[in-house]
Amino acid sequence: MTRIPLPPKLFILCAALVLALCACSRQSESPPPAAAAPPSAAQSPQATPATADTSQQTSPPATAAAASAQPTDGDSSSLEHLAGLPAAGALPSSSEWKPGVNYSVIAPAQPTTVAPGKVEVLEVFWLGCPHCFALEPYIRQWLKSKPSYVQFVRVPIMWDPMHQAHARLYYTLEALGRDDLVEKAFAYLHELEDQTGTEAVLFSNDKDETLKEQQAWAVQNGIKADAFANAYNSFFVNTQMQQAQEIDDTYQVQSVPFIAVDGKFSTDVGKAGGENQLISLISFLAAWQHEHTQNGG
C-alpha cells in the first residue's frame, strides 16, 4: 500500500499537538527505569547550607552506561553500597525531605567528571516541555546564588526526532556562544504564535526543513545564517548530541525535567512538591553530598 506523506502545514499542526499533549514523558511502551530505586534508610541530620556565590553553567560530561545490578528488595545496605554511600547507611534526610519520598537513590551511583570538591547537579530537559519551561526561571535564579561547589550540567532529552531537533538547536546555540538565546527558544516554543495561530515547533518531518526553520529563527535573533548552519553540523554539536544520548540512556530518563545530584540521587518537581521546593531540595542534597565528600565519605 502506498504511504501518503502528510502535507507540511498539517504535519506542523500535528507536531504542535504532540508538543502540547505528550511533551514531558516517554511513550508508555518504554521500559521502566532501572537506575533509580527508592530506599528506606536511617535518617541523618540536615546539612547546613554553604555560603552561596555565582558560577557558570557548563557543558555535559560524557557518562558511562548504567550498570544492570539490582539491589535486594528491602536491603538498604545493598542500596547504599551500590550507590556509593557510607557503610553506616545514612542517607540525606530531614523533617522536610525523605529518601524514597522526595528523592530516589540511583543504584549503582553514576560517575561524573566534575573536579574534586565539586558536586554535579544535572538537569535533563526539553525545550518543548511546559514543565521544563515553568522550572526555567527558578533554575536561572538559583544559578545566580548557588554554592560555588555546585557544578550545573544541562542535558537535552533525546527520545525521538523532535526532541533531537531541539537538542541540536540547544547545542548549536552553545557552540555559537549564544546561551542567552536558550531562554528565547523556550519562550518561542511556548508563548508565541504566528498570525494564523499556528504554534511554533522549530521542527519538521524533513531534516533540511528543520534546519531552515531553526536557521530563520536564529537569523531573527541576530545570528548569521552561515554561522548557524556551520555550527549546526559541527563536530562539537555532533559530539554533544552523542554524549547527551549516552547520559539519557545511563539514567533511563522517563520524564522531564529530571534532576540528578552527583550521580547518586534523583528527583523531580512532583517528588519535591513544586518548582520552588525542588530548588530547595537540590540545595539540600548538594550540601549533604558536599559535606559527606569533605568528610571523606
Side-chain angles (χ1 to χ4, degrees):
M1 182 174 69
T2 303
R3 185 175 182 178
I4 302 174
L6 287 173
K9 288 185 178 180
L10 180 57
F11 178 84
I12 292 174
L13 286 172
C14 292
L17 181 61
V18 171
L19 189 75
L21 297 179
C22 62
C24 300
S25 62
R26 199 162 192 171
Q27 298 297 325
S28 58
E29 62 268 17
S30 300
S40 175
Q43 295 184 358
S44 62
Q46 182 173 358
T48 302
T51 302
D53 60 51
T54 303
S55 60
Q56 298 298 318
Q57 172 179 330
T58 63
S59 300
T63 308
S68 59
Q70 295 293 328
T72 303
D73 291 343
D75 186 350
S76 61
S77 63
S78 296
L79 281 170
E80 291 144 9
H81 174 72
L82 289 171
L85 295 170
L91 288 170
S93 183
S94 70
S95 60
E96 186 176 8
W97 310 120
K98 304 296 182 184
V101 177
N102 305 116
Y103 71 89
S104 297
V105 172
I106 298 171
Q110 297 304 312
T112 70
T113 60
V114 297
K118 295 285 187 178
V119 175
E120 179 188 86
V121 173
L122 170 75
E123 181 200 12
V124 182
F125 78 107
W126 176 36
L127 287 172
C129 169
H131 303 296
C132 300
F133 181 54
L135 180 62
E136 183 67 8
Y138 294 89
I139 290 288
R140 290 188 174 276
Q141 186 62 34
W142 172 71
L143 286 174
K144 295 176 182 178
S145 60
K146 70 176 180 60
S148 59
Y149 59 76
V150 170
Q151 185 167 329
F152 181 62
V153 175
R154 170 170 270 176
V155 178
I157 198 66
M158 300 283 286
W159 287 327
D160 62 32
M162 180 182 284
H163 299 103
Q164 293 160 18
H166 291 162
R168 187 170 289 276
L169 171 62
Y170 171 76
Y171 284 129
T172 300
L173 295 176
E174 186 175 280
L176 292 167
R178 295 301 306 270
D179 293 334
D180 59 300
L181 290 183
V182 171
E183 192 171 6
K184 285 191 174 183
F186 261 123
Y188 183 76
L189 288 168
H190 293 280
E191 296 178 345
L192 302 183
E193 296 183 358
D194 61 24
Q195 293 180 351
T196 65
T198 303
E199 293 187 22
V201 292
L202 296 176
F203 170 74
S204 170
N205 57 341
D206 180 85
K207 290 184 179 180
D208 291 337
E209 290 300 318
T210 295
L211 169 57
K212 290 179 182 178
E213 185 175 343
Q214 293 187 5
Q215 186 180 43
W217 175 84
V219 169
Q220 291 172 0
N221 286 278
I223 297 175
K224 293 183 179 180
D226 288 347
F228 184 87
N230 290 337
Y232 191 86
N233 293 303
S234 66
F235 175 78
F236 171 82
V237 170
N238 289 333
T239 299
Q240 295 296 86
M241 292 282 286
Q242 181 178 356
Q243 291 182 0
Q245 185 68 67
E246 292 172 357
I247 292 170
D248 292 347
D249 290 345
T250 292
Y251 286 100
Q252 300 185 42
V253 179
Q254 301 298 305
S255 63
V256 292
F258 169 90
I259 300 292
V261 176
D262 220 37
K264 295 179 174 64
F265 312 115
S266 68
T267 188
D268 55 40
V269 175
K271 289 179 180 178
E275 289 87 0
N276 198 45
Q277 293 92 328
L278 178 61
I279 297 302
S280 296
L281 176 56
I282 291 170
S283 297
F284 169 75
L285 291 173
W288 185 94
Q289 179 61 24
H290 179 65
E291 183 180 14
H292 167 66
T293 303
Q294 293 295 104
N295 290 335

